[in-house]
Amino acid sequence: MNDLYFQSALPVWGAGRRFRMNDFILFTADFSAQKGQNVSLVLTASTYFRVKLNGCFVAHGPARGPKGFFRVENLPLACRSGKNQLEIEVSGANINSFDYLDQPSFLQAEIKIGDTVAAATGKDFRAFDLTQERIVKVSRLSYQRLFFEAYRVTPKRGELPELEIEVTPDVSYLPARVPQAEYAIDRSYRKIKTLRRSYRKDAGLRPDAAPGTAFGVSGTQGVQNRALTLVGKNGFKGYHQEELDVNAFLELGRYVRDDKGEIVSTLFAGNINNTGFVQLRVNCTKPGRLVVMFSELEEPSGGVDPLRLETTCAVFWDLLTQGYYDLEAIEPNAFKYAEVFFDGGEGEVCDLALREYKSPLVQKNLFTGNDAELKAIFDAGCESFAANAVDVLTDCPTRERGGYIGDSFFTARAAHLLTGNLLLETLFLENYALAAADPGLPRGAFPMEYPGDHPTGEFIPNWGMWLLLELAEYRERGGEQKILDAMRGKVFDFIGFMDKFLNEDGLLEKLPGWVFVEWSLANTFTQDVNYPTNMLYAAALDAAAQVYGEPSLHWRAGEMRKKILAQSWDGHFFRDHAVRQKDGTLRVDCGDKSEICQYFAFFHHLATPEKFPGLWHTLVADFGPRRKAEGLYPDVASANAIMGNYLRLELLATYGLQEQMLREIKDYFLPMAQTTGTLWEHNDSRASCCHGISSFISYLILQYHSSKKELSR
């Protein structure tokens, strides 16, 4: 109820603007206080906000909740004696994305001095139109995220049009559950080189390319950008290309590296690939556009490529007059390198820094061993975790910021060990427990990530199976029973949905959605009966039986394993799939085999070293990080970081090979830690270089370290 969180505040927005895409409003309130008084700000919003007190940054939020529920933040305010001014810049996105839900815009906030309300929305706050500064009709930052940031600004904010405020419909509330993020300023970014670029209008789009296909600014051909081409299709929202005032994807593609170019660019580098809000101090001597492009990596040709992840990792600031500007982005991102230049203007970048946006819950100095290389990897995993655990356990802070199940099975283990509590996992699972049915998904299917909207019908059936495994471990970790109870109906709806695809052998066949095993060739071996998926489903049935006391599910899991073993095992390896032939029979002797299929067999209780000593010896002795270089078993598709390598390392530790596990952790992950100070989505740098699931490696290192053994090489 409202009075549990707010005494006087009402949800409000600019009149007639609740459903505008990429709307921005500034809410302000003046109030008097005495230094040392207990002053707090209680607030929530439909998308996100940034709070400033007397011109100084206070917070970004709120923590994300399930559709129709809004998490309430309670922020202490360090006021000065006398008059104080509070500013809340609020986004009203109104589009579907992976990081925020598509919900009508509102802000609800009140300032309290002790128990007395000093100012409340609907009564005391004024609203001003921030779209005078923020350019509204811009392309999306990526297919998965909200809008690109582009501004028209002066050194000091001028007078903004005041808006009429309307009270919006009541909403439901949840507690924030997790503390506010860490907002330390990373000032390690230093100028490392000067580059040149040319603006080439024809460079951003090839004549034979589909709309939205551009070259990367490094000169490599970009990919077709779904954030542009899918607008208006299957409910995917955004501004159509012909409407855009700024098409960032095409514009960024036109800034081409050119040693004789007229644009002089400065490349900055930080100590690590850090996450947060880019901020700059700029002396503008001639008005024009300031372009800030950032990336986790430096390109081989020099500079950065903000299009490398099918994103537009940049901010445009059109500086309208001369003077000193203090600029800060409002969307978080991750970068180690930033490239800054003027287009049509002139000036000097006096300082570039990053306001961190990371979880404060990670316990420092948990690793106390003497191995410097292991510590570097452990710290990189902790950095990757903190960047992806501000509220929801997310995949990456760049292209998506999505809360994926599947990933969360591994990240939740790290969360418990690295923070010493279940706050983050409980928030994550509570969002799923309270999630309304998604009309774009089949009944019973779990969203592959949440909170997010998926109007195009994307989902991963395998991820629902991993969620059942996580629920069993959450229970063992001492999780809240009310969360498990709230999930019960969803779990059995999911099992009922999966059971529709059981064949005559009791195995899943031709599952809908994206059947995802891992980022490797194993994903191409999913037709028609995929054995890794069936191994996972058997384990998921066991987990549901354990959590909800349904012994019949244990029996079903055992029967599935018998069938999988009979069909998949070829005497040397487990095969990945069987194919339904035109005559209706099932061909089980397909030759497709993957490394991760073998790990699934051991991890999901189909095989043990005692029952399959030959295969186990082969996996231990011949597989792992050096197999590909040595040319061993080329007919068995190699595993990738997500999630074959993680399972391999876990299995090595489980069966007493901790020293080998730690050696292989170094082989897999030390180059990542040394390059970016974070751990990556893949074995290589082709995608995200700061992935939340990779914190599982810190979990493994710490689990081994806690046993007080030392690595010997």
Side-chain angles (χ1 to χ4, degrees), residues 384-674:
S384 301
F385 176 80
N388 288 287
V390 172
D391 53 358
V392 175
L393 295 172
T394 57
D395 61 338
C396 62
T398 48
R399 73 176 186 267
E400 296 190 353
R401 295 190 72 236
Y404 280 87
I405 44 178
D407 292 42
S408 66
F409 172 84
F410 298 89
T411 313
R413 286 189 181 182
H416 185 221
L417 198 58
L418 297 179
T419 70
N421 59 60
L422 294 174
L423 293 177
L424 289 158
E425 187 178 18
T426 297
L427 180 148
F428 183 90
L429 293 176
E430 183 178 54
N431 285 348
Y432 267 89
L434 296 177
D438 189 328
L441 301 181
R443 186 180 184 279
F446 285 109
M448 61 187 180
E449 68 83 34
Y450 196 76
D453 294 300
H454 304 285
T456 57
E458 298 167 292
F459 76 101
I460 302 174
N462 311 59
W463 266 203
M465 303 173 198
W466 282 106
L467 177 59
L468 269 57
L469 268 63
E470 182 182 348
L471 289 173
E473 292 200 356
Y474 177 70
R475 179 171 175 262
E476 292 175 0
R477 286 190 279 266
E480 294 184 11
Q481 186 61 42
K482 66 178 182 180
I483 300 290
L484 297 170
D485 292 343
M487 287 293 295
R488 181 186 180 98
K490 293 175 183 283
V491 166
F492 285 97
D493 284 348
F494 173 74
I495 292 172
F497 173 52
M498 288 292 99
D499 284 353
K500 294 178 182 178
F501 302 96
L502 294 175
N503 64 16
E504 67 276 12
D505 296 319
L507 299 181
L508 297 172
E509 181 174 348
K510 295 183 178 179
L511 284 177
W514 180 16
V515 179
F516 183 92
V517 179
E518 72 157 0
W519 284 125
S520 73
L521 281 176
N523 271 358
T524 67
F525 304 154
T526 56
Q527 179 198 2
D528 287 302
V529 177
N530 179 253
Y531 293 119
T533 299
N534 276 281
M535 295 173 189
L536 173 58
Y537 189 52
L541 293 177
D542 270 336
Q546 174 186 338
V547 175
Y548 297 111
E550 292 288 342
S552 63
L553 297 180
H554 279 307
W555 178 85
R556 283 187 53 191
E559 293 301 300
M560 286 188 70
R561 291 189 179 103
K562 292 176 185 177
K563 289 291 186 181
I564 296 167
L565 183 59
Q567 295 179 13
S568 177
W569 177 245
D570 71 359
H572 301 282
F573 292 101
F574 287 95
R575 294 179 286 241
D576 275 62
H577 69 135
V579 174
R580 185 68 64 179
Q581 300 183 103
K582 291 183 179 180
D583 64 2
T585 60
L586 193 66
R587 182 187 171 193
V588 300
D589 61 345
C590 296
D592 298 324
K593 295 184 286 290
S594 70
E595 185 176 349
I596 191 173
C597 183
Q598 317 314 308
Y599 300 146
F600 264 51
F602 285 91
F603 190 80
H604 296 308
H605 315 300
L606 194 78
T608 64
E610 293 76 23
K611 292 180 180 178
F612 291 85
L615 174 60
W616 180 248
H617 175 78
T618 298
L619 293 177
V620 170
D622 297 337
F623 281 68
R626 299 175 185 177
R627 172 171 75 99
K628 190 173 182 179
E630 295 171 0
L632 300 175
Y633 298 97
D635 58 329
V636 180
S638 296
N640 204 338
I642 299 177
M643 52 190 55
N645 295 350
Y646 299 147
L647 296 186
R648 174 183 178 80
L649 296 167
E650 164 93 352
L651 290 168
L652 290 175
T654 298
Y655 290 109
L657 300 172
Q658 293 96 337
E659 291 188 1
Q660 181 175 344
M661 178 197 77
L662 291 176
R663 286 195 297 271
E664 292 191 4
I665 282 177
K666 290 184 180 183
D667 288 335
Y668 283 126
F669 297 102
L670 184 59
M672 303 181 192
Q674 292 172 334

